[in-house]
Structures are given as C-alpha cells and as structure tokens.
Amino acid sequence: MAKKKMVLCTQLPEERRKELEELCDITEAGELLHGKGNVTEAQTREECRGYEIVALGDEYAGAETIQDWVDSGMKFIGVAKGTPVTVDNKTIMDNGLKLSYTPGRNRVAVAEFTIGLMIDMARKMSLSAEGLHKGDHTSPAKENIYDVPDVKNVTFGPLDEKHPFTDYGIGFELYGKKLGIAGFGAIGREVAKRAQAFGMKILAYDPYLSADKIEATGARACDLDTMLAECDILSLHLPVVDATRNIVNRDWFSKMKKTAYVVNTARAAVIDQKDFIEALQNKEIAGAAVDVYWEEPVPQNHPLLGMRNVVCTPHMAGLTTDVDHWSGEMMSTEILHYIKGEEREYIWTRV
C-alpha cells in the first residue's frame, strides 16, 4: 500500500509517530515546525496544502483555508484541541468530511488545577503568601536568624488586629461543602472525583446529560436554580458556544449565597464580565478564582487583579508536560482509524 501524504502541526508520542511513519510520509509544519504562536493562518494554509491528512494543533484555518485544502486533496483533518473552534467546521461538513479532535486531553490537568484553586481560595494561600513576601506580618531583620528563643508553641502571637488571620481572613474547609459543577463533561467529572475525595457533595447541572448518567458518578443531578441556591462553590466547565456566551450573569449571581465562591478554569466568555465584577465588588458573592480572561494577556488595570477576594492565575490550568502526550495519543488513534477505514471515535459536530 502506498504511503499517504500527511502534514503534522502537533506533537505525537514517539511510539505513535513511528507507527504512523510506516504508513505515511510525514511533513512537519505550523507550530510544530516554527514554535508556539509563530504561525499565521496564511502560512499554515500554504504549508498544509496538498496533503491527504492534515493534523493541526493551535493553528487557525478559516473557511477559505479549509476549502483550499479540500480542493488540493485533503480527506482527513484533525485538531489536537479539546474545543476545536480554531477551524471552520461548517466548511468541513459541507464538503462531506469529519473533524477529529481530542476532547478531555487536558481533563486531569485542569481538574487538578481547579481543585488547587479551590484550596487556595478557601485557605487564603496566595493572598497570605504574597503578603509575607512583601513584608506583611514579619518582624525586623535579625543579625542571626539561627538564634531563636526556646518556645514550645511557636505562633504569630495573639489574634488581634496585627494577626495574619485578622488581615487575610480565616479560611474554610472543603470538607462537607457543596460544589456546584456547571457542565458535567470530561473535565467536570474529573473535578467531581477529586472533590469527592475531599468529602465535598457534588451538585451537577448539565442539560445535555441524563440524571441517571450524572448520578452514576455519585453526584446529584440538579436544575440550574437548585444548584445555584445550594452550592458553596460554583465551578464552571462550559464550552464557549452561542448558547453559553455570557450565560453566567447577574441572574446567576442573584440566586447564589452571599458566602459562595466562583471558580472559572473554562473560558471567560461564558461569564458576563461587568456583572461578574459588580457581583464581587458589591459582595453579592464572597469571592472567586479565575484562570481565564476576556482578553489575554489580561490588562494590568483589570479590577480582578486588585481584589483581595479573587485568586488570579494566567491561564495555566490546562498546561502540563503531560497534556501533549494525551492529545497526541488521541490524535494518532484517530489518524490510524482513518487509514484503516475504521470508525473514528472523536468527531466534532458543532459549527
């Protein structure tokens, strides 16, 4: 069998790549060849023209680019992303092709980070650590730090106006708290597993999943209003589509406890920015932890960065040294299914 022509823009595990090299002539292009963020759509279009198999990473491919590739012989296209909104799927579908993608490739990475943000938020970890580095609640410099008093119970002193607990606030435990999960897909379910290990009670809202499937995981299936009213922490795991854009708004916040917190490691566009800021400023909700923003890098004067009740991280949740491996495994499997004429498993159906 003649080898198929394949252009590769994303990393594959070494063993998988060797397996595909037996079946394909592989050309590297896009960000795999030039580095992250160093490729324009026009450059990608040119480099990926004329290949039967196109495997993308973060590269953009609009309608004209897709049609160009189809006209030059593309039969398979895959995007190694959890939500492949970087390519025009309508044009792909109009040409009778299917878009392979890698759902849940970073589900463990995001889930672990989400739990980390909850602990940080609950126990004031970033706030107090930053304060200590700045010199808050420290004593004057000592000539010999190893000369310490013989005290059995070393503490920061009495709980007065100078105490860290007074300044930063006393945190709370995750144990026994109710975690509302909006969007019970691959990441939402991974978050639920880890939260259950902490003794949290899971309230899940997902109109696309049956109550039986949700409750088989040990979570409680809820309608939106019930989840919002009862949860102590709300964790968002929604994709950005027309139905979810700005869906988390004033109406949601008004139904939540004033003691409740919001965690967002999904996409900022699912939250109405102005409503969110006002809810935090007006103490309609107690606080938040966010890893994603409406514009990135986030403007240095963004109100969230100056709020003591908000933990901010720079879009780090889905990034680990392991994610490319999981993504590459899934994409390799999709390509092998195509080559062997087998049914593919991960097909994106939205436009």
Side-chain angles (χ1 to χ4, degrees):
M1 182 178 72
K3 287 188 175 183
K4 295 184 179 296
K5 289 184 65 179
M6 172 179 168
V7 61
L8 183 64
C9 300
T10 188
Q11 290 185 19
L12 303 180
E14 185 177 350
E15 289 187 7
R16 288 296 201 176
R17 172 142 182 175
K18 287 179 180 177
E19 187 176 359
L20 284 168
E21 285 173 346
E22 295 293 320
L23 303 169
C24 303
D25 287 323
I26 299 176
T27 300
E28 292 188 357
E31 292 192 348
L32 182 61
L33 181 62
H34 304 290
K36 290 283 186 183
N38 292 330
V39 182
T40 64
E41 181 177 350
Q43 186 177 1
T44 301
R45 183 191 303 182
E46 182 68 27
E47 291 181 350
C48 296
R49 182 183 296 120
Y51 292 88
E52 179 180 349
I53 299 171
V54 177
L56 303 176
D58 288 323
E59 295 80 10
Y60 282 85
E64 291 184 7
T65 298
I66 296 296
Q67 193 61 55
D68 185 344
W69 293 344
V70 171
D71 293 342
S72 65
M74 182 180 73
K75 302 296 182 186
F76 172 99
I77 180 169
V79 176
K81 289 176 70 68
T83 308
V85 294
T86 47
V87 302
D88 191 287
N89 196 33
K90 183 178 185 304
T91 305
I92 293 170
M93 296 170 72
D94 287 347
N95 281 279
L97 302 183
K98 296 178 180 179
L99 173 60
S100 287
Y101 73 119
T102 56
R105 66 186 180 130
N106 61 0
R107 62 187 183 274
V108 170
V110 176
E112 290 180 350
F113 198 93
T114 299
I115 295 294
L117 285 179
M118 289 183 199
I119 297 171
D120 188 333
M121 184 176 66
R123 301 301 302 275
K124 319 289 184 182
M125 293 171 71
S126 291
L127 179 64
S128 58
E130 182 183 5
L132 205 58
H133 280 292
K134 290 192 304 184
D136 298 343
H137 311 292
T138 57
S139 60
K142 287 184 64 172
E143 184 175 340
N144 181 7
I145 62 167
Y146 302 107
D147 179 17
V148 296
D150 184 14
V151 178
K152 292 183 179 180
N153 186 30
V154 178
T155 71
F156 266 75
L159 188 58
D160 57 19
E161 67 279 358
K162 297 180 181 179
H163 198 282
F165 289 172
T166 307
D167 187 2
Y168 307 123
I170 298 175
F172 60 90
E173 298 172 14
L174 298 185
Y175 181 82
K177 300 299 187 296
K178 292 182 179 181
L179 173 64
I181 298 180
F184 210 60
I187 295 173
R189 292 192 295 272
E190 292 290 343
V191 171
K193 285 183 202 174
R194 287 153 179 77
Q196 287 165 328
F198 279 87
M200 300 187 80
K201 300 171 185 177
I202 310 302
L203 313 177
Y205 168 71
D206 193 321
Y208 300 101
L209 279 181
S210 69
D212 288 345
K213 287 186 177 179
I214 290 174
E215 297 191 345
T217 69
R220 176 178 146 209
C222 296
D223 59 49
L224 179 60
D225 286 355
T226 299
M227 180 191 68
L228 294 176
E230 293 189 19
C231 70
D232 298 297
I233 298 175
L234 172 64
S235 191
L236 303 175
H237 301 285
L238 304 167
V240 180
V241 295
D242 288 344
T244 61
R245 193 173 294 275
N246 292 326
I247 191 174
V248 183
N249 54 30
R250 183 176 290 105
D251 182 55
W252 283 43
F253 302 134
S254 69
K255 295 173 181 176
M256 296 175 67
K257 302 174 184 177
K258 290 187 180 297
T259 55
Y261 290 75
V262 173
V263 179
N264 190 14
T265 53
R267 285 293 185 271
V270 302
I271 301 181
D272 184 290
Q273 182 174 196
K274 190 170 186 294
D275 288 357
F276 187 43
I277 291 169
E278 289 179 353
L280 288 163
Q281 289 175 332
N282 299 334
K283 300 189 181 340
E284 293 177 55
I285 54 176
V290 295
D291 185 53
V292 289
Y293 306 89
W294 298 264
E295 179 184 354
E296 295 182 6
V298 60
Q300 62 182 234
N301 63 335
H302 197 284
L304 292 179
L305 300 180
M307 295 183 184
R308 290 188 112 204
N309 60 337
V310 180
V311 176
C312 295
T313 53
H315 207 150
M316 300 283 287
L319 183 64
T320 68
T321 56
D322 304 290
V323 166
D324 282 344
H325 172 81
W326 304 126
S327 181
E329 280 283 345
M330 296 171 78
M331 186 52 59
S332 299
T333 301
E334 288 291 282
I335 296 169
L336 287 168
H337 283 326
Y338 165 76
I339 293 172
K340 296 174 183 179
E342 300 170 348
E343 193 71 24
R344 286 186 264 161
E345 187 174 355
Y346 306 114
I347 303 297
W348 181 257
T349 57
R350 297 173 184 166
V351 295

